[in-house]
Amino acid sequence: MATVFSALEVLVALGLLVSTSYFVAVYFAARRFFTRQQDPDEGAYDEDLPGISVLKPLKGLDVDLYENLASFCRQDYPRFQLVFAVADPADAAIRVVQRLRQRYRHLDIELVIDDRVHGANRKVSNLLHAYERAKYDYIVVADSDIRVPPDYLRRLIGPLSRPAVGVVTCLYRAVPVGGLPARLEALFVNTDFSPSVFVAQMVEVTRYAFGATMALRRSVLEEIGGFLSLAPFLADDFFLGQKVAQRGYRVLVSAMIVETVMAIPSWQRLWEHQLRWARTYRSVRPYSYLALSLTYGVAWAVLNVLLHPTQAGAWAIAFALTGLRLYSAHRVATRYLGVRMAARDLLLIPVKDLLTAGVWAAAFCSNRVIWSGRRFRLIGGGEMIPEDEEVFAPTVPAKPAESQEGRSAVGGQSRGLNVSGTRSDQSVA
């Protein structure tokens, strides 16, 4: 028993030491990230800028969906196309896209409705259908809950035009809408996820992308096997970046921060979402996931107090480490991510940290996740198998069509929408 207690004390001491160093590193890593980032070349005249196809897979009526999508319509960019893709002709997102088509009549906006399934990841199926309509050789993919600034496309195209760069991706700050679960979820993004990427930028070569933005050339996408190669995976953004990096290209994290609107309606949804993120992370980067536990400073400080409840030193360490955590999190979130953080949110960080530590441990209990109302089982290498429906094997799209700029586009003929925004086989009300 004494041996176990001693081993636990050593582990706690290691956790306290590593997490203290990590909290300090987060601030300096964020400052280094934004200092070293170069603004993209924006000196090109409009006529020199290439066309861009923006692909937006949609499902359901997200909170503030209209404003999120409208931010892509307000781009200060001379030539771009927006392709929205849904699977269900009764999807509420269709009405939002139709409003956008009415409001922004001057823009090239297409709506594709296609229920073909090409693998376990239905989002990838939507992307395949949208890609069939892509006119340009520069492709941008962004999730439906993302909101972007007017210079978004201009800032992406600069680094993406460099031959060595295969993917440009973006970090994001979270804006909560709703009650306490949404605020805790936003804190996870603003004080855990994005800061961890800043630290990772110092110690490793980036080999992953984020669903907030994935911008790449058509030639690079085809080189990795197109979107179809991502169909078996839950973390399609991670594997897109990994596949591009494996081909020898650079994955660049832009200094531009976009926004995601967080609307978590219940504690159950918060738990499911956090658990899905944790189990996905564990499946694709198991060793990194194990090391992540050492950064949970608040949890280690609490455990240290439980081991030594009568020692003033243990309490002093807990207060000092928590103070360092709050200072570092607040400084990085407000100064570098542009987050408006109220005092009540700052005081929630220790609560969120303890919840995150619990999720980390719970991720080892099972390989099952819930995503968009469907249940999946994660298997080796990050692949997933649906548990509540038929498993669809990826299907090879039809013969590629020619893009507007003279290059082949993966996909070919679709059972989706034509240019007018109605299905080729039926009308959409």
Side-chain angles (χ1 to χ4, degrees), residues 205-262:
V205 176
T206 305
R207 302 178 64 85
Y208 42 82
F210 310 116
T213 291
M214 298 183 290
L216 70 169
R217 297 181 295 279
R218 185 189 297 272
S219 59
V220 174
L221 181 58
E222 292 180 349
E223 193 173 335
I224 67 169
F227 289 118
L228 189 64
S229 67
L230 308 175
F233 303 108
L234 175 58
D236 52 273
D237 49 359
F238 175 90
F239 284 101
L240 184 142
Q242 185 182 79
K243 288 175 179 291
V244 169
Q246 288 172 347
R247 303 297 297 181
Y249 295 100
R250 181 184 176 193
V251 178
L252 177 67
V253 181
S254 172
M256 175 171 49
I257 305 295
V258 298
E259 284 188 352
T260 180
V261 179
M262 288 289 182

Side-chain angles (χ1 to χ4, degrees), residues 20 35 54 194 236 263 369:
T20 300
T35 300
V54 181
S194 293
D236 52 273
V369 298

Side-chain angles (χ1 to χ4, degrees), residues 138-140 156-163 165-168 215-217:
Y138 287 84
I139 308 296
V140 173
L156 289 177
I157 202 63
L160 192 58
S161 62
R162 303 168 195 162
V165 175
V167 176
V168 179
L216 70 169
R217 297 181 295 279

Side-chain angles (χ1 to χ4, degrees), residues 110-127:
E110 287 202 53
L111 173 60
V112 179
I113 304 174
D114 197 321
D115 59 4
R116 288 177 296 168
V117 177
H118 302 279
N121 191 322
R122 296 293 182 89
K123 171 187 166 183
V124 171
S125 292
N126 275 348
L127 282 175

Side-chain angles (χ1 to χ4, degrees), residues 295 336 409:
T295 66
Y336 294 110

Side-chain angles (χ1 to χ4, degrees), residues 1 39 82 160 194 210 216 235 269 278 298 305 310 334 389 410:
M1 186 67 180
D39 288 334
L82 290 167
L160 192 58
S194 293
F210 310 116
L216 70 169
R269 287 284 298 277
V298 173
V305 168
T310 60
T334 57
E389 60 185 53
V410 174

Side-chain angles (χ1 to χ4, degrees), residues 164-208:
V165 175
V167 176
V168 179
T169 191
C170 291
L171 283 171
Y172 46 95
R173 60 175 168 264
V175 178
V177 176
L180 191 55
R183 287 164 54 196
L184 289 172
E185 178 85 352
L187 283 174
F188 168 76
V189 172
N190 297 332
T191 68
D192 286 353
F193 174 71
S194 293
S196 72
V197 176
F198 296 143
V199 175
Q201 290 282 298
M202 288 200 310
V203 300
E204 66 179 8
V205 176
T206 305
R207 302 178 64 85
Y208 42 82

